[in-house]
């Protein structure tokens, strides 16, 4: 599973070509989605008006909701100092769950915000699409 965090969502809305090609690839691959944690979408919209609408209109993008188990877990992660709400929701979505299987890849412009052991790929990495 590929997850876009807040920085990747903002970059996508700003027209980052590599991210748009990735969205296009996901849209043309049956059953493939790029995941955006709801709190990342919220944070991106709070930073730049219209970002949420622009991004959720794209094919191949799925917003992961903050359901009751996620809300409780993300709240605990914030309290324990893992990061802000958007980072913690991204970590929650990236954690292997029964329905998602293995570890996920987080596309981000802020790799330093994530703890060791979390697979992140910088959105400015020259080989980003080749890596994925």
């Amino acid at each position: 599973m590929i997850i876009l965090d807040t920085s990747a969502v903002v970059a996508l809305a700003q027209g980052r070509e590599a991210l748009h090609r990735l969205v296009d690839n996901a849209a043309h691959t049956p059953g493939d989605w790029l995941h955006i944690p709801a709190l990342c979408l919220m944070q991106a919209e709070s930073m730049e008006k219209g970002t949420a609408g622009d991004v959720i209109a794209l094919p191949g993008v799925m917003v992961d909701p903050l359901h009751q188990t996620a809300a409780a877990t993300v709240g605990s992660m914030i309290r324990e100092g893992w990061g802000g709400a958007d980072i913690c929701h991204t970590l929650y979505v990236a954690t292997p769950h029964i329905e998602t299987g293995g570890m996920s890849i987080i596309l981000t412009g802020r790799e330093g915000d994530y703890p060791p052991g979390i697979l992140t790929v910088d959105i400015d990495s020259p080989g980003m699409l080749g890596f994925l």
Side-chain angles (χ1 to χ4, degrees):
M1 180 166 54
I2 299 173
I3 303 167
L4 280 68
D5 77 354
T6 301
S7 60
V9 170
V10 171
L12 178 61
Q14 291 173 342
R16 186 76 52 93
E17 182 182 352
L19 291 172
H20 275 274
R21 288 191 0 228
L22 188 61
V23 167
D24 188 55
N25 288 343
H28 287 93
T29 305
D32 201 9
W33 296 94
L34 297 177
H35 293 256
I36 299 174
L39 294 181
C40 291
L41 188 64
M42 177 200 69
Q43 182 65 28
E45 178 64 28
S46 75
M47 294 165 61
E48 291 194 30
K49 182 180 179 180
T51 297
D54 291 346
V55 170
I56 61 174
L58 297 170
V61 172
M62 176 192 307
V63 176
D64 286 80
L66 186 69
H67 53 75
Q68 64 188 35
T69 302
T73 305
V74 168
S76 294
M77 293 168 78
I78 295 166
R79 184 185 65 245
E80 292 174 15
W82 287 83
D86 60 332
I87 295 294
C88 290
H89 195 200
T90 302
L91 289 168
Y92 177 83
V93 172
T95 302
H97 301 281
I98 292 172
E99 62 275 3
T100 60
M103 194 61 169
S104 301
I105 298 169
I106 299 171
L107 297 182
T108 182
R110 307 178 328 221
E111 286 185 290
D113 288 354
Y114 295 94
I118 301 297
L119 181 54
T120 59
V121 174
D122 192 314
I123 57 175
D124 293 321
S125 170
M128 182 189 69
L129 289 178
F131 181 79
L132 301 174

